[in-house]
Amino acid sequence: MADRIYIFDTTLRDGEQAPGYSMNLDEKIRVAKQLETLGVDIIEAGFAISSPGDAESVRAIAGAVNDVTVASLARALQKDIDAAWDAVRVARRPRIHVFLATSDLHLQYKLRMSRDEAVERLKSAVRYARNLCPDIEFSLEDATRTDLDYMCRVVEEAIKEGATTINLPDTVGYASPGDITEMVTAVRNRVPNIDKAIISMHCHDDLGLATANTLAGVRAGARQIECTLCGIGERAGNTALEEVVMAMKTRPDLYDTETRINTEELCRSARLLSSITGVRIFPSKAIVGDNAFAHESGIHQHGMMANSKTYEIMTPESVGVVKTNYVLGKHSGQHAFSRKLEELGYTLTDSEVSRLFAEFKNLCDRKKNVTDRDIIALVEASESHDKQTWSLVSYVVTSGNSITSTACIKLKNGDKTVEGVASGTGPVYASLRAVEKIIRHPFSLDDYQLQAVTEHRDALGEALVKISDGSGVYRGRGVSTDVIEASILACLTAVNRMLEGASSSISGGPAATTASFENDMLVGHTDKED
């Protein structure tokens, strides 16, 4: 019988700490609910002690999901453990995740304590946490650079005090698969009470070995995997959830294991993460990249036509890749559109379907054939536009290689319509300057990406932007058959998120200047606009 592997997802904690991946509360809850749909066993929702906002998000996630354990990270300190427990206690299945560094390097230079002092600290912390919560995980930070004899002592003491999961992380991505095998085997053979706990792997990808090291741990006896969607995380990232899950599923001869993961939700989960963070999935990313199931070589195409197994070790459908399917068009009704949304895995309210159907009809007027990928892009763009302060009414842009680009933008905020005109070195630059003049809140453009959603001349264009105003970084996404419109829509999504927490607006407070935009925006980026 296959051994059960527990999937511990830390996208919302370790992943969200990576530069460019921060999320607001609503976005974190959307990701958490998708992770629950995906079938992960544990969601590490955050590090409660780190900030009031993090504590609030952990608490909100704990109350928003049902069929999953919710964990909060805590240092081996009573105040951290109290904060973690206060945040996760409302969860149906709460967990406190306590950690303490155990390598001599960390003990000497970071913690400035002896091995014996560290043991006493972890015993006290785990005991305290166990009196609050029945599910305690203890992590030996920098485990792969920890002396094995000392490691076994630490693990034994942590289990004695009530830890039910022992995590042996490769914190800095230093280990090789052989090192992991040796470490896990030593703990399993030399710790007398190891049968009372599950061994967990948490590997970083600094040397590109996170997935290989995690799988080595599984083969050696680890039964929990700590990972993130698309492998996001500190520095070079973490083990990618989709990679380890599909490796075990594709190679049952090597890994006689099973998980709760609904693999058909993998691509949708990755797309949601990309949509929320504004960070594009690398085309050649294993499992969920656009090129993961693409075949251009003539030899490969010939083999695929004869038998897909010649060049595909898993089917696209098994991970939720949607193949282009020309079914819906301008004559399709809302009932057929609603059914298509259900086929694509979306559960929406009647009002959301009606709003999307209107957008779909507008798209049909612009595009001859509407594909599944177009509809997915519409849904995901619409999800990011739920809270609209400013919305686009109209725009006119003039541009050419012998004139200065000029944009005339008209936006609506409630019952008020405002028009702004601006010029710039390109049509996108001019458009975003006009938006800034209207909202009267300066911002700089930190990143801008543009890509086609589908093929052919009438393809939807997808724009991803990242802006900042000195107090935060905000992302936006927009889709349209017109790339200028897509860029404006993406900017407005980011702007609305920025203004949601701002103290001033066009109708109140002092008017801001556009100095930061003049100085910072799109410097060195004019080639991306055109």
Side-chain angles (χ1 to χ4, degrees), residues 138-435:
F138 178 72
S139 285
L140 292 74
E141 187 183 7
D142 205 24
T144 53
R145 294 190 295 178
T146 297
D147 174 73
L148 279 178
D149 290 335
Y150 181 61
M151 177 186 294
C152 291
R153 176 189 171 192
V154 167
V155 170
E156 182 178 359
E157 294 297 338
I159 295 172
K160 282 182 181 179
E161 298 298 338
T164 51
T165 302
I166 296 294
N167 184 33
L168 305 175
D170 186 20
T171 305
V172 292
Y174 174 78
S176 70
D179 296 328
I180 298 294
T181 299
E182 180 184 6
M183 177 180 68
V184 175
T185 301
V187 169
R188 290 188 71 199
N189 291 339
R190 294 164 56 182
V191 175
N193 56 357
I194 194 60
D195 60 311
K196 297 179 181 178
I198 292 173
I199 297 175
S200 180
M201 298 305 307
H202 179 122
C203 298
H204 280 262
D205 207 35
D206 298 72
L207 294 176
L209 293 172
T211 296
N213 284 339
T214 298
L215 292 170
V218 170
R219 294 199 71 186
R223 288 299 175 260
Q224 178 177 284
I225 291 172
E226 306 197 4
C227 47
T228 61
L229 292 173
C230 299
I232 68 170
E234 295 276 10
R235 303 183 312 280
N238 289 275
T239 303
L241 183 154
E242 64 277 3
E243 292 177 13
V244 288
V245 167
M246 291 310 296
M248 291 186 295
K249 183 174 181 178
T250 305
R251 294 299 307 273
D253 55 319
L254 291 179
Y255 314 101
D256 187 18
T257 58
E258 61 182 12
T259 71
R260 284 203 322 156
I261 296 296
N262 176 8
T263 62
E264 293 181 1
E265 289 287 332
L266 286 172
C267 276
R268 186 181 176 198
S269 301
R271 288 197 310 267
L272 176 64
L273 178 68
S274 177
S275 175
I276 285 176
T277 62
V279 180
R280 185 185 178 190
I281 301 170
F282 183 59
S284 295
K285 172 70 183 69
I287 315 300
V288 296
D290 286 343
N291 294 343
F293 296 94
H295 304 273
E296 186 172 337
S297 163
I299 295 174
H300 286 211
Q301 290 173 347
H302 178 75
M304 285 292 295
M305 286 185 284
N307 186 325
S308 63
K309 291 182 179 180
T310 54
Y311 288 102
E312 285 186 352
I313 59 173
M314 66 195 94
T315 66
E317 294 81 3
S318 69
V319 298
V321 172
V322 177
K323 292 188 174 180
T324 300
N325 183 12
Y326 298 101
V327 177
L328 297 181
K330 64 181 181 179
H331 300 297
S332 300
Q334 186 167 328
H335 179 73
F337 179 71
S338 179
R339 169 171 269 184
K340 172 57 69 176
L341 291 174
E342 291 175 3
E343 290 175 359
L344 294 175
Y346 294 102
T347 303
L348 304 173
T349 65
D350 291 342
S351 61
E352 289 171 335
V353 172
S354 296
R355 187 180 75 248
L356 281 169
F357 184 64
E359 295 178 16
F360 163 74
K361 282 294 190 179
N362 290 332
L363 179 59
C364 290
D365 289 335
R366 301 183 181 191
K367 219 172 172 275
K368 182 178 180 181
N369 295 307
V370 178
T371 70
D372 289 351
R373 288 165 64 190
D374 290 321
I375 295 172
I376 289 169
L378 279 181
V379 176
E380 293 177 351
S382 178
E383 286 176 341
S384 64
H385 298 161
D386 285 342
K387 294 185 177 180
Q388 284 284 5
T389 302
W390 290 98
S391 59
L392 178 64
V393 176
S394 64
Y395 67 97
V396 176
V397 178
T398 59
S399 184
N401 63 357
S402 60
I403 63 171
T404 300
S405 297
T406 302
C408 178
I409 308 292
K410 186 180 291 185
L411 302 180
K412 186 175 183 179
N413 184 349
D415 296 329
K416 191 171 185 177
T417 300
V418 185
E419 189 174 86
V421 179
S423 59
T425 53
V428 173
Y429 186 8
S431 298
L432 271 59
R433 285 195 65 200
V435 169

Side-chain angles (χ1 to χ4, degrees), residues 44 122 356 448 491 504 523 526:
E44 186 168 50
L122 76 89
L356 281 169
Y448 173 72
C491 176
S504 62
V523 175
T526 53

